Amino acid sequence: MYLSDSDQTAPSGTVPTLFEAIVRTRCVEATYNGGRVILAPHVAFTRHGEVYVGATTIERDGVPPKEEKLGLFKLAGLGGFTLADRGFTPSNIFDPADERFAAETLLAVERTAA
């Protein structure tokens, strides 16, 4: 017997959620260092067997950052990791060839030609 598409459930958990956010250019919400953050994930990569995310911070505790930068976050350190209803445009500060993650990249946003 074959299962129909409606019988199958999508993978769940932080890694599939992260991948969906990157592919669909959707923000994620999480708790980080005791505060609530909204992040725009640009890249997922591994380091020492752990999954990390390179993301720009959209808001921390409801306040936008003073300057845009790409932060690196250990995925296991982001609590309550969920997909947000908010989309984002990939930032020009994201460099897919950045040596901090290029060798271990799992998935990255696609930048459109300007």
Side-chain angles (χ1 to χ4, degrees):
M1 177 178 188
Y2 296 99
L3 295 176
S4 69
D5 288 339
S6 62
D7 294 334
Q8 297 176 5
T9 58
S12 63
T14 55
V15 173
T17 300
L18 173 60
F19 286 3
E20 180 180 356
I22 291 170
V23 169
R24 296 179 62 202
T25 58
R26 298 266 308 274
C27 292
V28 294
E29 296 182 27
T31 302
Y32 181 71
N33 285 343
R36 196 75 185 148
V37 292
I38 298 175
L39 303 172
H42 284 64
V43 62
F45 64 99
T46 59
R47 181 183 290 163
H48 307 295
E50 296 282 346
V51 177
Y52 285 78
V53 57
T56 56
T57 301
I58 303 299
E59 288 182 8
R60 180 170 173 94
D61 294 327
V63 180
K66 292 181 179 163
E67 65 180 83
E68 183 181 32
K69 66 179 182 176
L70 187 77
L72 305 181
F73 304 87
K74 189 174 186 178
L75 191 57
L78 295 169
F81 193 84
T82 60
L83 196 61
D85 290 332
R86 180 178 185 166
F88 70 91
T89 300
S91 174
N92 290 330
I93 66 169
F94 171 63
D95 177 7
D98 188 316
E99 67 183 28
R100 296 178 294 172
F101 49 76
E104 304 293 331
T105 296
L106 299 171
L107 185 67
V109 293
E110 290 187 22
R111 295 199 312 192
T112 57

